[in-house]
Amino acid sequence: MSRIGVFVCHCGLNIAKTVRVSEVVEFAANLPEVVIAEEYRFVCSTPGQELIAGDIKKYNLDRIIVAACSPLMHEKTFRKVAEAAGLNQYLVTIVNIREQCSWVTEDEDVATKKAKALINGAVYRARLLAPLVSRFIDVNPEVVVVGGGIAGIQTALEIAAVGRKVYLVERTPTIGGHMAQFDKTFPTLDCSACILTPKMDAVLQNPNIELLTYCEVAEVKGFVGNFDVKIRQKARYVDHAKCNACLACVEKCPGKGESEFDEGLAKRKAIYIPFPQAVPQKPVIDRETCTYFIKGKCRLCEKICEQKAIDYEQADSYIEIKAGAIVAATGYDLMDVKPLAQYGYGRYPAVYHALEIERLFNSAGPTAGKVVMRDGREPQSIAILHCIGSRDKNNYEYCSRVCCMYSLKFAHLLKEKTHGDVYQLYIDMRAGGKGYEEFYSRLLEEDVKFIRGKAATVTHRTKNPEEEGKLIVEVDDTLTGKFARIPVDMVVLAPAMKPRADAKDMARMLNLSTDKYGFFMEKHPKLAPLSTMTDGVFIAGACQSPKDIPDTVSQATGAAAEALTIVSKAKMELEAATAMVNAAACSGCRNCVTVCPYSAPSMNEEKGVSEINEALCKGCGLCAAACPTSAIITRHFTNEQVMAEMEGLMEF
Amino acid sequence: MTAFKDIEERLKEKAKDLLEKGEVECVFAYGRGYDERHPRPYVAKTKEDAENLVFNEYCTFNLARYAVKEPRKKIAVAAKGADSRALVQLIQEGKLKRENLVILGIPAAGMVDAKSGLTLDEKTTGAFANPVVYDVLLGDKLPEAKNSPYEVLGELEGLSGDGRWEFWRKEFARCLRCFACRKACPMCYCDPCFMDQSRPRWADKSPTLDGNTMYHLTRFYHLAGRCVDCGECTRACPVDIPLYLFHKRLAKDCEEMFNQAAGMKLEDKPVLVDFRVEDGDEILL
Amino acid sequence: MSSVITPYLEMSQAIAEAGGEAFKKCYQCGTCSGTCPWTPISEFSIRKLVRLSQLGLEGIEDLMWSCSTCKFCVDRCPRGVEIIDLVTSVRNVYAGGGLLPQTLRTLVGSLSSRGNPWSGDQEKRNDWAQGKYPLYAEGMEYLFFPCCTGCYDQRNVSVSRATAELLTRAGLSWGLAGAEVNCCGESVKKVGDYELFDRLKGNNAGIFSGLKARKIITASPHCHFTFKNEYGGAYEVIHITELLAELIKEGRLTPKKDASGLKVTYHDPCYLGRHGGIYAAPREIIAALPGVELCEMDRIREGSICCGGGGGGLWVERMKGERLSDFRIEEAMETGASVITTACPYCIAMIDDSIRTANAEDRIKLKDVTEILIDYLEE
Amino acid sequence: MDFEPKILGIACNWCTYTGADLAGTTRLKYPQNIRVVRVMCSSRINPSFIFRAFQLGADGVLVGGCHPGDCHYGTGNMYARRRLAITKKMLEFAGIEPGRFRVEWISASEGNRFAEVVGEFTGQVKGLGPQTKLKIKTD
């Protein structure tokens, strides 16, 4: 037998105007196991709360029912009152007689009757409630950041700044990401390297950051506060512990490969660092282009290395890390524009994509900063084509957000470097951002020709002698309504930013959802843009959607704060109203394992029954309804509790 | 069509061969009962046992019912059309492993329910003549039934709601709660069954109309999208409740709504632990 | 046009209701008009047509007859606007108002009274066959449907004969559609006369189902498109080039005559290529000629340029310098080819006309793929 | 006296229950035959709850959840949709008027929709009269 106290609130006249409170109280007082029923003008007020606390002690109540406003309003308030009075908070039941009773009818009889039914249901349910104890688990204090572009670098630095250990995992041989490839950044035109390399160096110097380059995440297990992350260290064939970064090996190496960093516009050695300011400064050997690996002979690097750091026998190895939180900052890929044959990329050498032109601008790039085309000429006229693959149903429907601005930047740099004619072919000029519209305005004054129309075709088919030797960009200049043929020396495409080719694999490992393109889904587009559906995993930068550097850095800083809210606690409170399996009743059908979006249930193959990891459980009850044997108990919403409430409600 | 006698011979041969080579620990098939009309499930563990195997038109049992109890052993199972679907469904549910099973497929038409004398076909149960998955086929493939297995529902579907309730009320009222249906069903592997639970108690322990209704409706639901239409429940029922009609109707609903029939493909997921975003709300109307 | 505009949304609504609804998605980027082959050579702007429909503005009637429904813009449109549907619905709305140009009136009139666009006598539909080929009867494998143009247009009649001859030599079981069939209706649908289209379709569909046709071979990609996408019958629709390529692969037709030194180019018909997705089959047929050299033009396959004959264009008079086929033969000649091949009666008619008006007969010959195949079939 | 049906509502905490609250906050009026049980997610609803509700004397049962795609738990309502669709078919085949059972996706911002649905559904159930088929006979 339980001892239930019922407290009915007038809420001033909000309830009392339509519900005959005294009649309801009298009704409640006569329900079985109800020891005391009281009414009060404002139960949520301090005296109201004191009334409840007093009655709990006075009548030795072990359940309380508050009939007042919606539980979404004051459930927390009354739970606190109960806890303070020594009653477990889960033994509080709120009956909603305001939002779902007194406010939605004017008929006193009807409202009073419904209030009674609702209280009756609550009494039925309350008898079956059980105290629940919040449990705490230890939290691993470390954070894994996946991706060493500007987003990952920023996140790692912020977390390290408060003294927490960070593992920064980068799959290429250096951190820096796409930003390291850029020459200038819009709209301020600061030199990208000048603002990025100090940060890269800071990563290297920071004792709280363990830099794991040439590494990939192989497996993620566990849950918020307790992740087990397995990292694959790809074989570098160079022992970085021994290497002193003299780079004599690079100089001597006869092997040649296409420089990924220079977008294939230059060669690199088989043993290489991607670019001079790479972090770390120590090289790796690319098996595919190494003479020794191809022909079995050479070993020049080994001969030259005084440190004896070359190790051709090196194999992939694995590093296991325990982490409290994970930040995914895996960035983007540029869309492959070759399939869009109308723009001639790959067919005409004078057609470049955005990252290629970035490298041409860069003084450390393949042309030492001169805009020189593949045939050695300096272009005297250039067309920049916006929205290649973006805002396009046939490719990517979204706006890639950064292309308008970097196209303006290209126009500026091209003007500056070539003094040639520059055309911008755009659909809509999107310059929303601090200083962006001003930058657009500046470019208009720089005598760049803006043509409102999406380029239709890039062709070599000339129509008159002036067009000879040029590429012709065909476009409807929509503002005049005239068809334009623009003869140019060079064409620059602004392709869509798209998710990494393997974003889906990463999403699977981290249990993230992706949108229809493959970008990682945030938990809420407005109110939780850095969180994901998996607690403890956060996202930053272009892996969530196309983004420019300022937005990426802001997100990265935010994601660091999010990760810190988890790892700054030694212990973490777990949801108490979770599900559990009554092993004796489990028939091992696996329904729960199949349906749970949080992977909380798993099969104990030995015992043939399922088990629920309560740290992962969110208490939705999906599994309980899928369980044919009623073996799953959803605490606070058990089958008996729900059905008892139904029974109580249907009595009146 | 291969004669039952020939199938029996091939069954014996194959069973002997498998047992002799040690490829399986035992063979689930049929043995002689007290007369020809009443064969019984039989487990051959040695090649000598294999001599005792029989097959005739009365071998209606769905042996998946027994196979499901041996998830870890390497076993061979004789499986007619619906039986093979049950095995597939059990594999989908992780209850059996394909690699542990040697499925001895039996194309069979003209099976007869010894009790009622009715032929098993699309008008009753077990419409599938050919096994859907097998390792060995012990007879020639048969043409599949031309008519829909759901045509038989027409009469009941033609009744008014009140008429249908009257029909089921009378049927449920006769239920003795002997649980033969669930014991015979290969998909009813739950131990314990929800009906054996005390928390919550879903129905009265004694057979009352209300409790029987709850039991049968819930069991029908648990089998929705899983029932392979073998008809074992109905043949097992001592008071001849036509349970298969309700199962068939839910199978039809699942095919219409989710485009999937139970136990047809190894890679399917049972429909009620699966979803598609494009399921659409019209299914709720 | 007045320089002040007032949106006339009722008209916009009427166009939407006639099936052009997709114009709502357009953001006026100009991809369509930049891609459209008419833009550089005429005043026509498909983008402007979309814009005028969005606001229901006048002026649209001056633009609407130019489009040859070649689908180039539709394939490129980043918004997924079904521009051809829009064009036909604009035509439907305005033609309903009596704005059909004179030349198209002849087309519509002939289709309405005689069931073909060439004012030919219905009973003479199969005269080209000179009684050499059987009519289709139940049990035969293929029903051959030569386009009306292949029945009545002199240049195209020879294509029909070549086709019939190839089918016979391959030993197929086939028969001709009887004289009671009529035009597939593709052009008249694109001209916006939905009602007449439905009538033509109804007659043909009735005949096909009466004959229990299982596989229909079409000579014209326009018939191919229409039977496949608009009729919805329970038969397979096969374009002749698909079938011939298959027959060559199977060894049932083998060109043996030496074609060394022969340079051939191939023009992709819009309705075979972009509408039908068939690019490889005709090229495989050409490649089967022993020693032949296929000299491709610059703009081919998905990027091919229309001859101008689609969407009713065959019946629209155009000024010199505004005929796409004129440009197309120039492009063909640039390749160094001595023969331009194609696989559509409309393309044949348009290109034939261009070659003759340009007096280019001695520089380039026009052959249908079937014709060139039969030329080289035997030594 | 007019027949006043008993209607059981089962609403998910995040969308429909909140939407029902909003109906109250905006002082919309709707028939008060409904009594709502709050669960965390529509996927918590076991079809046996629905059978049970009818046995307990409900004349109608209304289930509310988040719109597909908006489930607080990601995909809960997708499973619920399939389960409840089957439940509906079962009731119909057993001969229980399918109009006594309804599933609606009502978001937290759709207070008016909640009131509207409840109004409509109450009227519909009223028209069907008392549910006696599954109701447990106590006498």
Side-chain angles (χ1 to χ4, degrees):
Chain A
M1 286 286 276
S2 49
R3 299 180 60 79
I4 303 173
V6 179
F7 302 87
V8 186
C9 182
H10 290 236
C11 195
L13 282 176
N14 279 314
I15 293 169
K17 187 169 165 242
T18 31
V19 173
R20 293 189 292 271
V21 174
S22 308
E23 188 184 322
V24 171
V25 170
E26 198 192 321
F27 164 83
N30 288 312
L31 291 173
E33 302 182 36
V34 172
V35 179
I36 175 79
E38 305 229 40
E39 59 189 287
Y40 194 74
R41 276 176 61 78
F42 290 101
V43 181
C44 62
S45 65
T46 311
Q49 294 186 25
E50 281 165 0
L51 173 73
I52 295 175
D55 277 3
I56 290 174
K57 294 202 173 101
K58 190 162 146 199
Y59 298 101
N60 197 21
L61 300 177
D62 60 8
R63 307 277 190 279
I64 62 163
I65 292 171
V66 183
C69 53
S70 170
L72 305 179
M73 198 80 181
H74 274 311
E75 187 169 53
K76 283 211 172 82
T77 314
F78 295 115
R79 281 181 167 188
K80 269 191 204 141
V81 172
E83 284 281 332
L87 183 65
N88 184 280
Q89 55 172 326
Y90 287 92
L91 299 173
V92 176
T93 306
I94 308 294
V95 183
N96 186 344
I97 58 166
R98 192 179 73 174
E99 283 84 345
Q100 297 189 19
C101 185
S102 72
W103 276 351
V104 285
T105 182
E106 276 156 359
D107 186 325
E108 253 186 55
D109 293 336
V110 165
T112 306
K113 185 180 172 202
K114 182 169 181 181
K116 287 180 187 170
L118 293 174
I119 290 173
N120 196 47
V123 169
Y124 271 66
R125 178 169 188 264
R127 288 188 204 133
L128 301 177
L129 287 177
L132 300 181
V133 187
S134 300
R135 286 162 320 108
F136 292 85
I137 50 160
D138 291 339
V139 173
N140 292 328
E142 282 128 16
V143 180
V144 169
V145 176
V146 188
I150 182 59
I153 290 173
Q154 180 73 12
T155 310
L157 287 171
E158 295 284 353
I159 294 169
V162 297
R164 291 286 160 171
K165 170 117 185 176
V166 184
Y167 294 90
L168 180 59
V169 184
E170 165 59 42
R171 104 164 120 193
T172 71
T174 178
I175 55 170
H178 283 117
M179 189 178 169
Q181 293 179 286
F182 304 164
D183 180 53
K184 297 281 196 297
T185 55
F186 64 77
T188 48
L189 300 173
D190 329 51
C191 147
S192 186
C194 312
I195 54 179
L196 178 64
T197 39
K199 280 197 183 273
M200 290 164 61
D201 197 48
V203 166
L204 195 65
Q205 303 305 330
N206 195 313
N208 289 325
I209 300 178
E210 187 162 337
L211 184 54
L212 301 169
T213 54
Y214 220 44
C215 282
E216 283 178 345
V217 177
E219 190 179 275
V220 178
K221 280 201 212 152
F223 47 88
V224 56
N226 285 272
F227 291 110
D228 293 306
V229 185
K230 194 168 166 188
I231 308 274
R232 184 163 69 92
Q233 169 73 65
K234 295 185 277 186
R236 296 176 170 122
Y237 308 107
V238 177
D239 184 344
H240 277 205
K242 291 182 187 159
C243 173
N244 62 359
C246 74
L247 300 181
C249 51
V250 176
E251 208 166 303
K252 283 280 181 272
C253 174
K256 273 206 169 34
E258 302 256 296
S259 163
E260 295 84 357
F261 186 78
D262 280 327
E263 297 292 331
L265 294 172
K267 301 278 181 206
R268 57 148 170 81
K269 298 294 182 68
I271 184 164
Y272 70 105
I273 59 170
F275 60 104
Q277 300 87 357
V279 169
Q281 280 278 300
K282 298 176 182 179
V284 298
I285 295 177
D286 170 29
R287 272 187 87 110
E288 306 298 314
T289 47
C290 168
T291 315
Y292 171 67
F293 279 112
I294 297 169
K295 296 187 178 154
K297 265 191 253 172
C298 180
R299 302 181 82 120
L300 264 178
C301 50
E302 188 183 47
K303 279 172 208 129
I304 200 108
C305 182
E306 289 175 1
Q307 300 293 315
K308 306 258 170 278
I310 306 293
D311 176 7
Y312 300 111
E313 305 305 314
Q314 208 178 57
D316 290 2
S317 57
Y318 290 90
I319 307 159
E320 310 232 347
I321 299 170
K322 287 197 173 301
I326 298 173
V327 179
T330 50
Y332 69 95
D333 281 338
L334 210 56
M335 173 196 179
D336 177 14
V337 283
K338 256 200 201 120
L340 303 180
Q342 64 266 42
Y343 304 116
Y345 184 85
R347 180 178 182 197
Y348 304 125
V351 181
Y352 289 78
H353 68 62
L355 281 173
E356 288 173 336
I357 192 106
E358 290 282 3
R359 294 312 299 150
L360 292 190
F361 289 139
N362 197 295
S363 57
T367 55
K370 292 202 181 64
V371 179
V372 181
M373 301 196 296
R374 290 183 174 95
D375 62 4
R377 285 185 303 145
E378 186 184 78
Q380 288 312 301
S381 48
I382 305 108
I384 303 170
L385 277 42
H386 292 225
C387 294
I388 303 302
S390 302
R391 304 183 69 196
D392 182 350
K393 256 213 151 92
N394 305 317
N395 295 285
Y396 300 96
E397 273 186 80
Y398 50 81
C399 166
S400 289
R401 281 187 68 201
V402 298
C403 331
C404 279
M405 296 315 294
Y406 75 56
S407 295
L408 292 178
K409 173 185 78 178
F410 290 167
H412 171 85
L413 293 172
L414 286 166
K415 273 270 167 204
E416 186 180 271
K417 288 181 187 257
T418 68
H419 306 287
D421 298 325
V422 180
Y423 298 89
Q424 296 266 0
L425 280 69
Y426 68 99
I427 305 174
D428 295 299
M429 187 58 74
R430 296 191 163 172
K434 187 163 177 167
Y436 291 6
E437 185 64 28
E438 294 90 325
F439 188 53
Y440 176 23
S441 176
R442 171 176 167 187
L443 264 290
L444 286 167
E445 286 174 39
E446 286 181 8
D447 201 23
V448 172
K449 301 288 177 253
F450 286 83
I451 293 179
R452 193 200 170 276
K454 184 168 171 177
T457 313
V458 175
T459 176
H460 68 286
R461 296 175 57 81
T462 53
K463 289 231 165 125
N464 53 52
E466 289 90 83
E467 292 181 349
E468 279 310 321
K470 305 262 184 188
L471 285 178
I472 318 299
V473 182
E474 294 182 338
V475 59
D476 178 6
D477 174 36
T478 61
L479 298 181
T480 58
K482 297 291 178 198
F483 184 74
R485 287 172 60 87
I486 307 167
V488 291
D489 294 328
M490 183 187 210
V491 172
V492 179
L493 305 180
M497 282 167 85
K498 69 176 201 52
R500 288 283 190 197
D502 58 354
K504 293 233 153 103
D505 299 329
M506 180 58 68
R508 209 167 304 126
M509 259 190 292
L510 294 172
N511 198 21
L512 302 181
S513 20
T514 54
D515 65 15
K516 67 172 171 176
Y517 310 104
F519 287 116
F520 298 154
M521 281 288 280
E522 61 286 337
K523 189 171 185 180
H524 190 282
K526 290 161 193 79
L527 301 177
L530 310 174
S531 310
T532 66
M533 286 301 282
T534 302
D535 283 355
V537 178
F538 304 97
I539 48 179
C543 61
Q544 183 243 4
S545 72
K547 231 168 241 92
D548 58 17
I549 296 169
D551 284 2
T552 296
V553 171
S554 312
Q555 273 208 341
T557 308
E562 291 268 25
L564 284 168
T565 59
I566 291 181
V567 298
S568 60
K569 290 177 284 197
K571 286 186 183 295
M572 212 172 53
E573 187 175 348
L574 294 178
E575 171 69 56
T578 53
M580 61 171 279
V581 178
N582 170 7
C586 174
S587 68
C589 72
R590 291 176 166 77
N591 280 359
C592 50
V593 180
T594 312
V595 296
C596 178
Y598 307 102
S599 310
S602 60
M603 198 64 194
N604 182 327
E605 295 292 346
E606 200 158 308
K607 293 184 189 153
V609 298
S610 109
E611 288 165 353
I612 289 177
N613 181 340
E614 287 170 34
L616 294 174
C617 177
K618 302 274 174 287
C620 66
L622 170 60
C623 56
C627 178
T629 62
S630 317
I632 295 186
I633 298 160
T634 322
R635 294 189 181 90
H636 213 54
F637 290 93
T638 65
N639 288 323
E640 300 92 296
Q641 287 164 359
V642 175
M643 286 196 292
E645 185 177 352
M646 280 169 27
E647 193 175 347
L649 292 176
M650 288 299 106
E651 273 185 0
F652 292 90
Chain B
M1 163 171 172
T2 315
F4 288 141
K5 211 63 212 154
D6 295 335
I7 291 175
E8 181 178 303
E9 278 316 306
R10 290 178 204 174
L11 181 59
K12 284 181 185 168
E13 281 310 306
K14 191 67 204 172
K16 258 190 253 173
D17 185 47
L18 288 167
L19 290 163
E20 201 163 38
K21 291 190 180 138
E23 284 175 22
V24 297
E25 286 185 48
C26 50
V27 177
F28 284 64
Y30 306 94
R32 205 182 141 73
Y34 63 87
D35 68 6
E36 277 275 302
R37 284 173 67 88
H38 296 86
R40 58 188 173 90
Y42 183 83
V43 183
K45 293 184 176 147
T46 64
K47 72 175 177 137
E48 289 72 28
D49 287 353
E51 272 307 317
N52 298 329
L53 296 179
V54 300
F55 191 78
N56 62 26
E57 64 269 42
Y58 299 109
C59 292
T60 51
F61 302 109
N62 185 344
L63 300 168
R65 175 69 188 121
Y66 303 92
V68 69
K69 295 185 173 163
E70 296 294 356
R72 290 194 174 84
K73 274 192 197 159
K74 179 99 186 171
I75 57 171
V77 188
K80 306 181 295 297
D83 314 355
S84 75
R85 292 178 66 192
L87 292 172
V88 169
Q89 186 66 27
L90 290 165
I91 293 166
Q92 284 177 21
E93 295 176 17
K95 276 293 175 187
L96 288 174
K97 288 205 169 69
R98 180 69 184 91
E99 60 271 25
N100 283 352
L101 288 179
V102 176
I103 303 177
L104 309 175
I106 302 180
M111 302 299 290
V112 176
D113 174 9
K115 189 167 72 168
S116 66
L118 287 175
T119 304
L120 306 198
D121 57 20
E122 68 269 27
K123 288 197 262 338
T124 54
T125 55
F128 273 76
N130 296 302
V132 294
V133 172
Y134 50 83
D135 295 294
V136 211
L137 205 57
L138 300 177
D140 301 331
K141 277 209 172 184
L142 295 164
E144 285 296 350
K146 282 198 195 73
N147 300 320
S148 155
Y150 305 129
E151 265 177 35
V152 59
L153 293 170
E155 198 177 327
L156 208 42
E157 285 172 341
L159 293 180
S160 67
D162 291 349
R164 271 199 302 278
W165 169 247
E166 213 28 50
F167 175 86
W168 288 114
R169 191 189 62 77
K170 280 190 186 143
E171 295 296 344
F172 293 157
R174 297 189 303 116
C175 172
L176 308 171
R177 213 79 77 72
C178 70
F179 293 125
C181 46
R182 85 177 187 205
K183 278 194 206 98
C185 175
M187 308 316 300
C188 265
Y189 51 69
C190 288
D191 179 23
C193 171
F194 71 98
M195 282 297 283
D196 306 334
Q197 290 281 15
S198 52
R199 291 181 58 195
R201 209 164 110 188
W202 291 99
D204 317 320
K205 290 284 172 198
S206 54
T208 58
L209 171 64
D210 302 317
N212 295 350
T213 304
M214 191 67 172
Y215 164 59
H216 286 293
L217 286 183
T218 304
R219 185 172 167 273
F220 292 148
Y221 171 72
H222 286 172
L223 285 156
R226 301 173 63 233
C227 169
V228 297
D229 189 33
C230 67
E232 286 282 78
C233 51
T234 307
R235 285 192 292 279
C237 181
V239 293
D240 300 321
I241 301 176
L243 298 165
Y244 74 101
L245 289 172
F246 217 115
H247 289 305
K248 257 187 205 279
R249 168 57 196 250
L250 294 184
K252 178 180 160 193
D253 287 331
C254 287
E255 272 189 53
E256 281 172 7
M257 293 192 292
F258 314 131
N259 224 341
Q260 187 176 318
M264 295 303 289
K265 289 189 202 132
L266 288 167
E267 63 277 13
D268 281 346
K269 261 193 196 177
V271 291
L272 287 179
V273 291
D274 196 11
F275 70 85
R276 288 197 183 84
V277 175
E278 57 277 11
D279 277 341
D281 290 339
E282 41 310 332
I283 61 174
L284 291 166
L285 297 176
Chain C
M1 228 193 300
S2 156
S3 57
V4 179
I5 57 165
T6 312
Y8 181 29
L9 299 183
E10 288 81 356
M11 178 52 79
S12 167
Q13 188 57 31
I15 294 168
E17 279 165 10
E21 193 174 32
F23 68 65
K24 293 176 183 164
K25 297 189 272 190
C26 171
Y27 60 16
Q28 291 287 312
C29 68
T31 301
C32 52
S33 42
T35 304
C36 176
W38 299 105
T39 315
I41 60 167
S42 72
E43 286 300 308
F44 174 61
S45 165
I46 184 68
R47 178 184 57 77
K48 214 179 268 175
L49 182 138
V50 179
R51 184 66 187 148
L52 295 175
S53 328
Q54 285 178 325
L55 296 179
L57 296 180
E58 57 184 84
I60 202 167
E61 58 279 12
D62 303 331
L63 296 175
M64 63 187 176
W65 299 110
S66 295
C67 172
S68 48
T69 66
C70 78
K71 197 165 176 271
F72 206 173
C73 57
V74 180
D75 285 357
R76 292 271 170 89
C77 175
R79 282 306 220 214
V81 179
E82 291 297 339
I83 300 169
I84 297 177
D85 291 352
L86 173 63
V87 169
T88 56
S89 55
V90 168
R91 290 175 179 181
N92 174 266
V93 168
Y94 280 86
L99 283 174
L100 203 60
Q102 189 52 47
T103 47
L104 290 176
R105 272 175 215 216
T106 319
L107 162 74
V108 172
S110 172
L111 280 169
S112 179
S113 58
R114 295 164 186 259
N116 70 73
W118 299 109
S119 306
D121 287 340
Q122 175 112 35
E123 62 273 17
K124 292 187 180 162
R125 188 178 177 87
N126 281 338
D127 281 7
W128 63 270
Q130 297 158 332
K132 280 197 220 161
Y133 308 106
L135 286 185
Y136 182 84
E138 212 184 313
M140 287 180 173
E141 188 172 5
Y142 296 99
L143 185 157
F144 174 44
F145 189 94
C147 170
C148 302
T149 309
C151 296
Y152 297 105
D153 173 74
Q154 272 320 303
R155 176 64 189 84
N156 274 291
V157 157
S158 92
V159 179
S160 300
R161 288 185 183 141
T163 310
E165 202 47 39
L166 286 167
L167 296 176
T168 308
R169 289 208 214 166
L172 299 180
S173 141
W174 71 280
L176 273 173
E180 66 279 12
V181 296
N182 50 234
C183 173
C184 68
E186 192 275 327
S187 285
V188 81
K189 169 118 194 226
K190 299 287 156 49
V191 162
D193 195 336
Y194 298 170
E195 206 184 314
L196 179 52
F197 171 74
D198 285 340
R199 193 140 60 86
L200 296 170
K201 170 181 158 182
N203 181 50
N204 277 349
I207 293 168
F208 294 160
S209 74
L211 287 171
K212 301 208 168 58
R214 288 174 297 140
K215 295 177 178 174
I216 299 179
I217 305 167
T218 70
S220 169
H222 295 261
C223 308
H224 179 255
F225 169 87
T226 309
F227 294 160
K228 214 168 179 162
N229 301 302
E230 308 261 15
Y231 277 35
Y235 33 75
E236 198 184 335
V237 186
I238 306 159
H239 186 255
I240 182 68
T241 55
E242 294 178 281
L243 180 65
L244 293 176
E246 201 52 42
L247 290 170
I248 290 170
K249 255 184 237 164
E250 289 169 5
R252 296 173 71 175
L253 284 176
T254 311
K256 295 202 178 106
K257 192 166 160 191
D258 184 23
S260 303
L262 177 67
K263 290 183 172 183
V264 176
T265 192
Y266 171 72
H267 162 76
D268 286 280
C270 306
Y271 275 73
L272 192 61
R274 278 187 293 266
H275 283 279
I278 298 171
Y279 298 107
R283 291 184 166 79
E284 284 164 16
I285 298 169
I286 295 164
L289 310 183
V292 76
E293 185 186 343
L294 177 62
C295 309
E296 293 275 22
M297 290 180 273
D298 186 44
R299 299 182 288 182
I300 52 164
R301 302 178 68 93
E302 290 86 351
S304 173
I305 295 298
C306 178
C307 73
L314 194 53
W315 292 272
V316 173
E317 289 295 330
R318 292 194 204 275
M319 313 286 286
K320 192 163 165 43
E322 288 190 11
R323 291 183 205 134
L324 289 176
S325 44
D326 291 357
F327 298 98
R328 199 57 172 159
I329 59 166
E330 277 172 32
E331 203 173 330
M333 289 187 287
E334 281 168 25
T335 65
S338 59
V339 180
I340 175 168
T341 59
T342 188
C344 166
Y346 294 180
C347 296
I348 291 277
M350 295 298 286
I351 294 172
D352 183 56
D353 192 45
S354 285
I355 291 177
R356 280 192 280 126
T357 43
N359 291 320
E361 291 99 328
D362 47 352
R363 281 179 288 159
I364 192 141
K365 299 263 176 299
L366 167 67
K367 292 270 181 189
D368 187 83
V369 172
T370 53
E371 293 175 315
I372 202 162
L373 175 58
I374 211 157
D375 285 352
Y376 286 87
L377 207 52
E378 269 150 37
E379 278 179 88
Chain D
M1 206 176 76
D2 270 1
F3 163 60
E4 285 297 337
K6 280 183 194 170
I7 294 176
L8 183 77
I10 312 182
C12 88
N13 178 63
W14 307 98
C15 291
T16 307
Y17 193 87
T18 315
D21 274 2
L22 180 63
T25 322
T26 40
R27 307 298 199 277
L28 299 171
K29 307 294 180 245
Y30 57 85
Q32 292 305 298
N33 306 65
I34 189 166
R35 287 103 175 80
V36 176
V37 172
R38 178 170 66 125
V39 291
M40 294 313 277
C41 177
S42 54
S43 69
R44 172 67 190 93
I45 300 164
N46 190 328
S48 302
F49 288 177
I50 315 292
F51 307 145
R52 188 74 182 162
F54 285 120
Q55 289 200 327
L56 292 169
D59 299 300
V61 179
L62 174 68
V63 168
C66 306
H67 288 273
D70 294 346
C71 175
H72 182 78
Y73 304 100
T75 51
N77 54 5
M78 298 281 180
Y79 292 101
R81 179 158 64 184
R82 284 195 163 195
R83 294 170 181 167
L84 298 170
I86 287 281
T87 309
K88 178 112 182 170
K89 305 277 181 208
M90 289 184 68
L91 290 170
E92 196 210 330
F93 193 60
I96 318 301
E97 299 80 356
R100 296 189 184 277
F101 178 57
R102 177 157 168 184
V103 182
E104 281 291 336
W105 312 127
I106 299 169
S107 78
S109 61
E110 295 176 315
N112 49 353
R113 177 93 189 117
F114 181 83
E116 222 174 84
V117 166
V118 172
E120 238 175 72
F121 186 61
T122 309
Q124 184 178 329
V125 175
K126 230 180 218 184
L128 289 170
Q131 185 278 123
T132 53
K133 289 171 182 165
L134 288 179
K135 188 177 179 183
I136 293 174
K137 282 83 185 163
T138 40
D139 43 28

